[in-house]
């Protein structure tokens, strides 16, 4: 089980930053997802969240908040199955320009860009977004604030 830290990054306009990913050999098989990735060495999940955010977006001016959600997922990607235990951290930034300068070779072949989404845009989107309930979760976060303790999301197996 791969330990993963993900970031629900909000800007001053309450938009969320999502990355646009696809299968390395099939750009038509695509989806949107939050920045983040696996822990390296003995780093904490918080350290991994900030490192991954910087590598994937270039955004380093971040206030990292609490863990919002936890999720287990399993999905095929790049010729293998990934089983992950993901923690989603709330983070806020005023820095909205992105530059994905620290991508791995696999990420360079599978990440097509980034976009800031309003909650309304996310609710109306027809694209695939992970986690699949992200629009609903974001609306609740914006309306009610962070949960008192992390919410465990349903396991997603693709």
């Amino acid at each position: 089980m791969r330990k993963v830290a993900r970031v629900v990054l909000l800007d001053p306009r309450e938009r969320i930053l999502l990355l646009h990913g696809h299968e390395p050999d099939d750009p038509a098989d695509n989806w949107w997802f939050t920045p983040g990735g696996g822990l390296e060495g003995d780093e904490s999940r918080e350290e991994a969240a900030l490192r991954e955010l910087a590598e994937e977006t270039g955004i380093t001016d971040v206030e990292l908040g609490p863990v919002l959600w936890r999720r287990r997922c399993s999905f095929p990607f790049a010729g293998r199955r990934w089983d992950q235990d993901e923690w989603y951290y709330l983070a806020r930034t005023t820095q909205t320009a992105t530059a994905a300068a620290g991508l791995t070779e696999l990420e360079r072949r599978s990440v097509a860009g980034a976009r800031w989404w309003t909650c309304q845009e996310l609710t109306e989107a027809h694209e695939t977004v992970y986690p699949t309930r992200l629009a609903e979760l974001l609306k609740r976060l914006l309306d009610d604030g962070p949960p008192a303790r992390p919410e465990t999301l349903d396991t997603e197996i693709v």
Side-chain angles (χ1 to χ4, degrees), residues 28-123:
D29 183 4
N30 66 91
W31 56 87
W32 292 89
F33 64 102
T34 58
L39 278 64
E40 294 181 357
D42 62 353
E43 72 183 345
S44 69
R45 289 204 197 231
E46 293 85 357
E47 291 166 336
L50 293 172
R51 176 187 50 75
E52 286 283 340
L53 186 64
E55 290 173 358
E56 295 175 347
T57 70
I59 295 176
T60 56
D61 180 20
V62 174
E63 179 185 325
L64 192 63
V67 177
L68 300 170
W69 316 306
R70 293 180 180 167
R71 172 181 88 135
R72 290 201 171 197
C73 61
S74 179
F75 54 91
F77 175 70
R80 65 172 273 216
R81 178 150 291 274
W82 300 75
D83 297 307
Q84 300 190 157
D85 175 29
E86 300 181 335
W87 291 17
Y88 289 78
Y89 287 86
L90 174 61
R92 295 192 177 272
T93 188
T94 58
Q95 183 183 342
T96 57
T98 62
L103 298 181
T104 66
E105 186 271 332
L106 178 58
E107 288 169 332
R108 283 192 300 277
R109 292 179 26 231
S110 62
V111 176
R115 176 183 162 195
W116 291 97
W117 295 71
T118 66
C119 189
Q120 186 68 33
E121 289 169 336
L122 198 54
T123 300

